[in-house]
Amino acid sequence: MSDFLSADAASNSGSSPSTNNDPQTADISAMAGESKNPEPRELGEAPLRLVETAFLASTASLIWLVNYYFPLGPLLRVFFPIPIALVYLRWGNRAAWMTAFVSGLLLSVLMGPTRSILYVIPFGIMGVALGGLWRRKASWSLSISVGALIGTVGFFFRFWLLSALVGQDLWVYVTAQVTEIVEWVFVKLGWLSVPSVSTIGAIAAGMILVNNIVYLFVVHLVALLLLDRLGNPIPRPPRWVQVLIDYEE
């Protein structure tokens, strides 16, 4: 009788659900453990993203503020879009737009809304555009062209805004200066013709575009040397640029 009870107990224990479902139970436990800690990396990155966005927004605002009250020529201008572009390279599109927006808010508090808008348009938008192109490994010719176009539109927006605030058309002063330069060139070349107003306007717009192309080229050089050292490299320059600046990867 005792042998029969022992055999029955052994058979019951062998057919118990807990013994037969050990692998399934382990899988369910593993899935439950994963659900408790879904993305520890993202949880750790959220504060870092917030801190870096705030820090680089304040950096961009500070560069604009210092350059406005203590202008150092083109030395600080080349850094205007770089902090926002760096945010895009590190954290993506949404963080870059937030950086541009926060920079505008800071400058609006420190300097007033007018000067704040003059930073966001074009340099805030330019920083987002450059960061997006650099992150997608676009060529220098494309990123310089897009940046120069944004800079040219921003230049005309600045003249429109300042003309509206002053109550005078400031573009007249630009065309007057360009007219003097063109007439001087025509005299040196021995041309007796007088350029028309539309020709003067087209030459002025072309000079503004060329100036922005040169500016964006310098911005790319500074970003190449700076962001490489920060661990967020931009696309490699053309071969002739690497030879010109003796750059070694």
Side-chain angles (χ1 to χ4, degrees), residues 51-76:
V51 170
E52 286 192 4
T53 300
F55 176 77
L56 290 171
S58 60
T59 301
S61 303
L62 183 62
I63 293 173
W64 174 265
L65 182 68
V66 172
N67 183 79
Y68 183 84
Y69 290 108
F70 305 99
L72 301 176
L75 181 61
L76 292 178

Side-chain angles (χ1 to χ4, degrees), residues 1-13:
M1 185 66 181
S2 59
D3 294 338
F4 176 77
L5 293 176
S6 300
D8 186 50
S11 63
N12 289 336
S13 61

